[in-house]
Amino acid sequence: MGKGTEGVRPLVAGNWKMNGLKAALGEAAAVQEALAGLQGAIAADVMIAPPATLLMAMAHASGAELLQFAGQDCHAKASGAHTGDISAEMLKDAGASAVIVGHSERRTDHGERDADVLAKALAAHRAGLCAIVCIGETRNERESGQTLAIVARQLAGSLPPGATAANTVIAYEPVWAIGTGLTPTLDDVAEVHDLIRRDLEARFGGEGARMRILYGGSVKPDNAKALMSVPHVNGALIGGASLKASDFIAIVRAYEG
Ligand code: PGA
């Protein structure tokens, strides 16, 4: 187990979103090399979720010892007539060990609701992938004092029965903090993560006590250490700052022992 809060081994995951052509494979290789150079000093799992087009090549080139790989979304079904979609089984086959589900960009751009996210998390479990389930309030919801209610509702609606510490990770990402350079105060992060932990424990008992809860939204090298030291923050989901190996590794080093 790593050093993160509560003895839960943290996870630092980079979400490349719709960024990256073949030339970007070099960034993943640079992350891998840097991790090798750090010789086990990082007390966290490290993961990249590249676009699906790069997943297989990236996983093949890097191996999964130091660096793990994830998809950014999956269909709820294993196969079938769903043009353009990708199943959890396909992601697993391509070298992923996890898949992000319910990212706010999917919820906004594709109208995904909690029930869809739950179905996708179930699909991840069926395929043997860890589901990284994203939740978080909008700016309006925060300003009108609804943050805790929204987060509790999304959590209740998006997590399938059978979720365990091994097969499920929660990513709390305030929508207004994603890609904006804005972050909640550390106290605000602590309040939400504490609520999530209590909800997880109430529903999943000991598994819920050990489920990793990531913070996401404008995590950068200069704020990572402070955010990662908040109680019940067990790692980060990182968008923009994960695209360059040097920035991503600087964030990962928040967990250097
Ligand atoms: P950001 O994105 O780090 O660019 O704010 C986070 C995310 O969407 O996962």
Side-chain angles (χ1 to χ4, degrees):
M1 278 292 164
K3 274 204 336 174
T5 58
E6 311 127 290
V8 174
R9 185 169 171 85
L11 169 66
V12 180
N15 172 12
W16 282 19
K17 309 190 180 183
M18 197 172 72
N19 296 294
L21 304 177
K22 270 185 296 189
L25 290 170
E27 294 299 322
V31 169
Q32 168 96 3
E33 257 172 52
L35 290 174
L38 288 162
Q39 298 185 326
I42 301 299
D45 293 334
V46 183
M47 181 182 279
I48 295 177
T53 46
L54 295 184
L55 179 60
M56 200 154 170
M58 196 180 280
H60 187 74
S62 306
E65 271 159 43
L66 295 171
L67 191 53
Q68 301 172 24
F69 303 97
Q72 298 177 7
D73 174 52
C74 67
H75 194 277
K77 299 238 172 76
S79 62
H82 301 288
T83 303
D85 280 314
I86 297 176
S87 73
E89 281 77 1
M90 290 168 175
L91 295 170
K92 169 101 174 166
D93 189 48
S97 59
V99 58
I100 299 167
V101 294
H103 189 281
S104 71
E105 287 151 17
R106 301 282 322 169
R107 291 178 188 258
T108 304
D109 295 354
H110 300 274
E112 292 186 11
R113 297 151 306 147
D114 289 343
D116 303 308
V117 178
L118 184 148
K120 290 177 180 212
L122 270 179
H125 296 167
R126 179 190 67 220
L129 295 180
C130 176
I132 301 175
V133 180
C134 300
I135 56 175
E137 82 286 0
T138 63
R139 179 187 297 276
N140 277 346
E141 289 163 347
R142 174 157 288 269
E143 285 172 356
S144 57
Q146 296 180 75
T147 298
L148 297 183
I150 293 291
V151 165
R153 196 187 71 206
Q154 289 180 334
L155 207 52
S158 307
L159 285 186
T164 67
N167 71 17
T168 305
V169 170
I170 311 301
Y172 168 57
E173 301 204 299
V175 177
W176 53 272
I178 295 176
T180 58
L182 303 172
T183 53
T185 66
L186 299 182
D187 283 349
D188 286 343
V189 173
E191 183 182 34
V192 177
H193 279 243
D194 183 64
L195 169 94
I196 295 171
R197 176 65 71 214
R198 282 188 280 115
D199 268 27
L200 292 175
E201 283 175 348
R203 186 161 167 205
F204 300 105
E207 292 296 327
R210 289 182 290 112
M211 226 174 256
R212 293 181 284 194
I213 310 172
L214 314 185
Y215 169 78
S218 296
V219 178
K220 307 287 178 204
D222 62 359
N223 63 16
K225 209 162 185 146
L227 287 163
M228 298 306 103
S229 60
V230 171
H232 302 297
V233 173
N234 314 117
L237 184 56
I238 301 143
S242 72
L243 294 172
K244 273 185 38 204
S246 54
D247 287 344
F248 187 52
I249 283 293
I251 294 170
V252 165
R253 291 184 79 164
Y255 288 111
E256 191 164 2

